[in-house]
Amino acid sequence: MKILETIKETKETILRLKGEGKSVGFVPTMGALHEGHLSLLEESISDNDVSVVSIFVNPIQFNNKADLEKYPRTLEDDCNILDDAGCDLVFAPSVDEMYPGKVQEHYDFGDLERVMEGAHRPGHFNGVAVVVKRLFEICIPHRAYFGEKDYQQLRIIQSLVEMENMPVEIIGCPIVREDDGLAMSSRNVRLSAEERKIAPSIYQSLKNIRGQVGNGAVNEVLRSEKEKLNSLPGIKVEYLLIADEDTLETVNTWDETKKLRAFIATFLGEIRLIDNLKV
Ligand code: AMP
């Protein structure tokens, strides 16, 4: 497995492989890898001749300075994991390599970014779009893999690719969970033992909502689940809602003509966790 830090070498290597007729799959990550990330890599390996993983903690998508500073960085372990998993190339640039000058781009994703993460983390999706566009220009993949864990991000990337006419197929992959249901996340290692015990309640709550589809008013079901979660120590729900999974428009009725998904963001102590479930 090759590990490259510069844009020039990475682009040249990938252009050469593509020149040999190889298909390229790409998995962008911020490192601190877990089985969720590896599931994307597995998909890429099964679909493509060559799989590239990027590891870059993208500063411009963090709206919270402490979260950026405390984000786990485990590059050496990550590279060992990726090598064992069959990755061909790791692109691990520095911040200066990715952002040699001031970031000027400003994207507008309309209603897709005015809800949930977009509403609660100002600038977050612009930062995501800027880095993903640059990474796509460097890695020039045929296919790129994103987790449904960050469902709104997946929709934003699909929209970005459409807006910019980028020749890459975006593939969404299911959420990988711990045995107790907690969605895997690089931030989970920052939970205390107490918090980690409580964390599966987040998924439990989404499952409770799924079990009540069609029974009782949407807002009443959400209010009751939110109240139960907020009564647990350390939990502070930021949002819990049901939305149309295509438009991300919040719904207030169990509209059977729409594909619905429940979405949650919650603080557990200092750590902000997100999850979602098709209902
Ligand atoms: P991150 O390193 O958090 O930026 O995530 C990199 C990619 O892995 C994103 O497309 C995430 O949606 C995806 N991902 C993160 N956690 C999971 C998970 N538990 N299951 C599936 N995909 C995930």
Side-chain angles (χ1 to χ4, degrees):
M1 185 183 75
K2 251 189 175 70
I3 303 170
L4 299 176
E5 291 171 6
T6 68
I7 292 173
K8 188 169 177 290
E9 280 177 293
T10 305
K11 203 166 174 174
E12 278 171 6
T13 305
I14 293 170
L15 281 173
R16 186 170 42 74
L17 290 164
K18 288 183 83 173
E20 293 166 7
K22 300 216 161 86
S23 60
V24 175
F26 176 49
V27 181
T29 82
M30 297 203 296
L33 301 181
H34 50 67
E35 285 170 43
H37 297 112
L38 293 184
S39 72
L40 308 189
L41 174 59
E42 276 162 29
E43 280 289 318
S44 171
I45 290 173
S46 77
D47 293 348
N48 304 281
D49 298 319
V50 172
S51 290
V52 180
V53 174
S54 64
I55 298 179
F56 178 63
V57 181
N58 178 32
I60 66 165
Q61 75 183 67
F62 284 78
N63 57 315
N64 178 329
K65 203 163 163 264
D67 189 28
L68 172 61
E69 278 163 10
K70 291 188 180 150
Y71 201 85
R73 288 162 172 88
T74 55
L75 184 60
E76 209 180 307
D77 287 351
D78 289 346
C79 288
N80 289 330
I81 292 171
L82 290 173
D83 197 8
D84 290 346
C87 173
D88 300 290
L89 198 164
V90 174
F91 175 50
S94 66
V95 172
D96 287 344
E97 181 74 8
M98 285 303 283
Y99 300 118
K102 200 169 177 290
V103 174
Q104 307 279 6
E105 299 96 310
H106 184 78
Y107 293 97
D108 185 353
F109 296 102
D111 291 343
L112 280 184
E113 69 172 342
R114 311 236 194 283
V115 291
M116 301 192 281
E117 297 304 282
H120 288 89
R121 301 181 66 186
H124 170 65
F125 285 126
N126 200 60
V128 169
V130 168
V131 81
V132 169
K133 169 116 191 295
R134 291 188 187 189
L135 289 169
F136 281 0
E137 282 164 358
I138 298 161
C139 299
I140 346 155
H142 294 95
R143 302 183 185 86
Y145 298 80
F146 290 85
E148 288 184 352
K149 160 82 180 2
D150 301 280
Y151 190 87
Q152 189 176 13
Q153 168 174 281
L154 170 64
R155 291 290 300 114
I156 294 270
I157 300 299
Q158 286 166 336
S159 165
L160 172 73
V161 162
E162 221 166 273
M163 265 164 39
E164 301 280 318
N165 264 312
M166 289 190 262
V168 48
E169 184 185 350
I170 302 302
I171 295 169
C173 303
I175 301 176
V176 178
R177 300 180 178 281
E178 301 287 356
D179 289 341
D180 59 15
L182 175 64
M184 289 192 183
S185 162
S186 304
R187 289 184 176 88
N188 290 352
V189 297
R190 294 184 52 213
L191 296 170
S192 69
E194 282 298 287
E195 289 163 351
R196 179 62 190 81
K197 266 189 229 153
I198 291 167
S201 321
I202 299 166
Y203 178 54
Q204 188 56 51
S205 185
L206 295 178
K207 284 202 298 184
N208 291 347
I209 292 168
R210 188 178 60 187
Q212 293 177 79
V213 169
N215 291 324
V218 169
N219 286 337
E220 187 46 38
V221 169
L222 294 173
R223 193 198 56 74
S224 148
E225 286 304 323
K226 190 170 167 181
E227 197 174 289
K228 274 195 265 172
L229 279 176
N230 278 333
S231 71
L232 299 170
I235 287 216
K236 195 163 187 311
V237 176
E238 198 166 57
Y239 61 78
L240 176 59
L241 54 84
I242 313 272
D244 176 311
E245 67 173 20
D246 294 326
T247 62
L248 301 186
E249 190 189 349
T250 307
V251 302
N252 299 311
T253 59
W254 303 115
D255 187 338
E256 286 171 15
T257 64
K258 289 178 175 160
K259 287 182 273 173
L260 302 181
R261 210 173 256 267
F263 293 89
I264 186 165
T266 175
F267 277 94
L268 182 41
E270 301 266 283
I271 314 302
R272 188 173 179 280
L273 299 174
I274 58 170
D275 199 352
N276 68 84
L277 184 69
K278 204 171 166 62
V279 296

